[in-house]
Amino acid sequence: KDRGRIEQALDAVPAPDTLPAAVAMVISSLGELVVQREGLFPSQRASIFDVFDSNGRWLGELRLRARTMIHEVDRDYITILRIDDDDVQHVEVLRLRR
């Protein structure tokens, strides 16, 4: 019974035909642009970020645990906000090795 109602409700919600290319962006203290392209939905396995230097050249990809957002990037650390499976938010500082 409940399963049928859940499926009906999900079918009634329109699905977007496109998604934004970026979820969030942060500028590091060194002028790098860090662009989050996925990772906020529980179904996604990782939070994926593209890192560009101050001239716009792609430096590489950074992968963190799913449902993680970067708050600050400095020379040797990253401050993140991570949401766990129970929807509890955690603020963490990660060491950054360049």
Side-chain angles (χ1 to χ4, degrees):
K1 250 183 182 180
D2 288 334
R3 184 88 171 139
R5 282 191 287 189
I6 291 171
E7 288 176 10
Q8 281 179 329
L10 289 174
D11 288 341
V13 176
D17 58 355
T18 60
L19 294 173
V23 175
M25 293 185 281
V26 175
I27 303 290
S28 78
S29 64
L30 301 178
E32 299 143 329
L33 176 63
V34 181
V35 180
Q36 183 170 5
R37 61 178 140 108
E38 66 180 71
L40 291 184
F41 297 112
S43 62
Q44 295 173 324
R45 293 180 157 187
S47 291
I48 302 174
F49 303 84
D50 288 313
V51 182
F52 301 88
D53 70 10
S54 58
N55 294 317
R57 187 179 73 230
W58 186 70
L59 298 175
E61 179 181 277
L62 174 64
R63 288 180 174 258
L64 297 174
R65 292 173 69 174
R67 301 181 75 195
T68 296
M69 294 166 281
I70 293 178
H71 176 70
E72 179 183 15
V73 180
D74 206 343
R75 181 174 301 280
D76 59 354
Y77 69 87
I78 300 174
T79 305
I80 64 166
L81 174 69
R82 181 179 56 82
I83 302 170
D84 68 19
D85 294 336
D86 295 320
D87 290 329
V88 176
Q89 296 180 357
H90 302 269
V91 175
E92 300 174 3
V93 178
L94 307 176
R95 171 178 249 150
L96 177 60
R97 295 186 185 159
R98 295 179 178 264

